[in-house]
Amino acid sequence: MKTTYALNESIEIDATTFGINSHEKDYKLCWYINKGLSAYFKKEREPRKISKKTFTVFTTRYDGRNFSLIKNQSKDGFLMPQKKNIDYFMTIEPRLNPLQKEQFVQKLNKVSKILLTFEIDLNSEPEAHRLILND
């Protein structure tokens, strides 16, 4: 007989995540973000396997934080199928305070190829673990 165990404790996620809508390809969007923020996003050598799907991830260290940009859609499907209207997710660890969030969104909105930027509450997302890319 198979035994199933479940954790009842919820884990507080120490990250800020933004949904980004853009019509640009991922590498081109990273180029515009790098130019606009003076950041240095670069493609990870190995694509990430998340839920048996392969996703390309761009990462950087900016202002003392770890940033990752991942496209919501790959050839295998969506990273977060319930959020098909979002093109990219940008996760920032550790989390930003409210003033830092506001300033960062203003900087991102100045990037010409970004159509819309908005925050996603990871603590209320059932599939939030897919966006935290810890090795």
Side-chain angles (χ1 to χ4, degrees):
M1 184 159 144
K2 188 175 184 180
T3 304
T4 304
Y5 297 98
L7 294 175
N8 292 328
E9 184 178 337
S10 64
I11 298 172
E12 185 74 21
I13 299 173
D14 187 28
T16 301
T17 299
F18 294 102
I20 297 175
N21 285 348
S22 175
H23 297 302
E24 294 297 327
K25 294 193 179 290
D26 50 7
Y27 60 88
K28 194 168 183 183
L29 178 63
C30 281
W31 186 85
Y32 281 102
I33 291 172
N34 286 341
K35 186 177 172 189
L37 299 180
S38 298
Y40 188 64
F41 276 94
K42 60 182 182 178
K43 185 177 176 181
E44 287 188 353
R45 292 184 190 266
E46 295 294 321
R48 296 288 180 117
K49 289 278 196 181
I50 303 168
S51 299
K52 298 180 183 178
K53 299 171 188 167
T54 305
F55 295 91
T56 303
V57 179
F58 293 82
T59 58
T60 192
R61 183 126 175 104
Y62 178 76
D63 282 346
R65 290 183 158 77
N66 295 319
F67 285 68
S68 60
L69 181 73
I70 187 166
K71 191 169 184 174
N72 190 24
Q73 187 175 9
S74 74
K75 293 178 184 176
D76 305 319
F78 286 92
L79 176 65
M80 295 186 73
Q82 69 278 17
K83 303 256 184 225
K84 291 180 182 179
N85 59 332
I86 299 173
D87 297 318
Y88 297 92
F89 294 102
M90 182 179 285
T91 302
I92 305 163
E93 295 178 75
R95 119 178 11 147
L96 300 172
N97 67 40
L99 179 60
Q100 291 169 326
K101 285 180 200 176
E102 183 180 328
Q103 292 171 345
F104 187 71
V105 168
Q106 287 175 357
K107 286 180 185 178
L108 275 181
N109 285 335
K110 289 181 182 177
V111 175
S112 63
K113 300 301 179 181
I114 293 179
L115 304 174
L116 179 66
T117 304
F118 54 94
E119 185 180 3
I120 297 172
D121 182 16
L122 292 180
N123 293 316
S124 65
E125 284 296 323
E127 299 292 326
H129 64 278
R130 293 179 181 202
L131 296 174
I132 306 302
L133 303 174
N134 295 332
D135 285 330

